[in-house]
Amino acid sequence: MGTYILRRLLIAVPSLLGISVVLFTVLALAPGDPFEELATNPNVPAEVRLALRAKFGLDDPVWQRYLHWLVAMVHGDWGFSFISRVDVDTLIAQRVPVTLAVIGASQLVALAIAMPVGIYSAVRPYSWFDRIASTLAFVGFSLPTFFTGILLILVFSIKLDWLPFVYRADLGATGWAWWWEEIRQSIMPIAVLGLFQGASWTRYVRSSVLDVVRLDYVTTARSKGLDERTVIVKHVVRNALIPVVTLVALQMPTVFGGAIVTEQIFRIPGIGALLIDAILRNDTPVIMAVTFVFACLVIVFNLTADLLYGWLDPRIAYR
């Protein structure tokens, strides 16, 4: 397995280089100037703006700027934010914990919903439980996150006044009071993402289990006298999870990007909000760093899915 992982990582290097070339070229050729505000400010001399452009190499050829960026990234220098006036890696490190907490909890909620509901629906197809679960799943993934987010704010924040609708990173409380406030302000964004993903995954889990439960080896396991719980857990679910693992692993980077909408609704100071702010203000070092991180996440989760295949299905060999 070590050789397989090493080979996959080596293959990922040219992929990341190609992605970085495309991203950097598109951002370099896109319209907009990060120092446009300085140009319209009469108190800032034109020489200062030109000096800043020369300092950051904005007037250099695109290939030269890319090589400079690549060498800096190899040495751990992610660049300097034109707008926030801090290093990009510091800026991202400040936002990552919030994004991971919200997204990580939402994915656990989604899996906690999708796995038992999808499996039971497949084991009891066309029952009342299956029909109700399928209807709710269709409704769940048909509603966009911005709609459900606003709906929850109207009900639980404005009408009932139970939960805050603005996420605060600078809570003044300490100890258990801090944890309570953190949980209260995280409930709605976690619910929005978790229910949306859970509804989508429920249909996928049901379909996957339904395909496996009809196979001949499942019938053979039942004919040997094994109880239904053992047949479902050990013989059906394990094989049915292989395509589900693919779906979850490949959607994780998308969820990081999809959380942009939810973070904007609830004013969560996460990676998504950082990316939107950087795009609106032409902060290209931040845009490049965040999008490159998303590309790395795609490769990492692809590798994770492949490794999980071997654990779920011993017939899979890594060569």
Side-chain angles (χ1 to χ4, degrees):
M1 183 180 293
T3 305
Y4 173 79
I5 295 175
L6 180 61
R7 187 170 67 251
R8 285 292 301 271
L9 292 176
L10 292 176
I11 294 174
V13 172
S15 300
L16 289 176
L17 284 175
I19 293 171
S20 66
V21 169
V22 174
L23 288 175
F24 195 92
T25 304
V26 171
L27 291 175
L29 299 178
D33 185 353
F35 300 114
E36 185 176 358
E37 296 181 2
L38 298 181
T40 58
N41 190 342
N43 297 321
V44 179
E47 294 78 9
V48 174
R49 178 170 172 266
L50 294 176
L52 288 173
R53 292 186 63 86
K55 178 181 178 180
F56 292 105
L58 297 181
D59 295 324
D60 296 336
V62 175
W63 65 268
Q64 187 175 344
R65 291 163 56 188
Y66 172 75
L67 291 178
H68 178 75
W69 174 86
L70 183 61
V71 172
M73 281 290 290
V74 171
H75 288 86
D77 182 8
W78 288 32
F80 186 79
S81 173
F82 299 147
I83 306 302
S84 301
R85 306 293 193 270
V86 296
D87 292 334
V88 174
D89 54 351
T90 302
L91 199 60
I92 293 178
Q94 294 172 352
R95 304 295 188 101
V96 165
V98 177
T99 297
L100 289 180
V102 173
I103 291 180
S106 67
Q107 298 313 290
L108 293 177
V109 170
L111 287 174
I113 294 173
M115 293 301 295
V117 174
I119 292 172
Y120 193 80
S121 296
V123 174
R124 301 286 187 272
Y126 310 113
S127 62
W128 281 108
F129 179 88
D130 181 33
R131 293 174 182 176
I132 295 173
S134 298
T135 302
L136 293 177
F138 276 120
V139 173
F141 68 75
S142 298
L143 297 176
T145 54
F146 69 84
F147 176 82
T148 53
I150 295 175
L151 182 62
L152 291 183
I153 289 174
L154 290 175
V155 174
F156 294 102
S157 296
I158 296 177
K159 187 174 181 60
L160 299 177
D161 195 21
W162 289 354
L163 302 172
F165 63 88
V166 175
Y167 189 98
R168 293 180 53 194
D170 55 344
L171 293 175
T174 58
W176 288 108
W178 182 89
W179 282 103
W180 172 244
E181 292 298 325
E182 182 70 20
I183 291 173
R184 287 182 69 244
Q185 69 179 1
S186 301
I187 288 176
M188 287 196 294
I190 290 174
V192 168
L193 289 173
L195 293 177
F196 180 79
Q197 287 295 122
S200 176
W201 291 351
T202 296
R203 297 295 302 168
Y204 204 86
V205 171
R206 178 188 181 277
S207 177
S208 182
V209 174
L210 202 58
D211 290 339
V212 175
V213 79
R214 298 170 177 173
L215 297 179
D216 293 338
Y217 80 91
V218 177
T219 305
T220 303
R222 285 173 174 154
S223 65
K224 291 181 178 179
L226 296 177
D227 61 277
E228 189 67 14
R229 180 184 178 86
T230 302
V231 171
I232 297 299
V233 173
K234 292 188 176 181
H235 296 276
V236 175
V237 173
R238 189 164 183 174
N239 287 329
L241 281 180
I242 293 178
V244 176
V245 166
T246 305
L247 177 70
V248 174
L250 296 183
Q251 280 192 351
M252 282 303 296
T254 308
V255 171
F256 274 86
I260 293 174
V261 178
T262 306
E263 290 181 0
Q264 289 295 307
I265 294 174
F266 296 100
R267 298 296 185 268
I268 300 175
I271 296 296
L274 175 64
L275 180 59
I276 288 294
D277 184 65
I279 292 174
L280 294 177
R281 305 175 72 176
N282 293 317
D283 198 353
T284 50
V286 177
I287 301 173
M288 187 67 196
V290 174
T291 51
F292 189 72
V293 168
F294 286 165
C296 293
L297 288 174
V298 172
I299 293 176
V300 169
F301 281 109
N302 267 283
L303 178 59
T304 303
D306 291 342
L307 295 178
L308 288 175
Y309 292 161
W311 176 71
L312 292 171
D313 191 348
R315 296 173 297 177
I316 298 177
Y318 299 107
R319 297 178 181 177

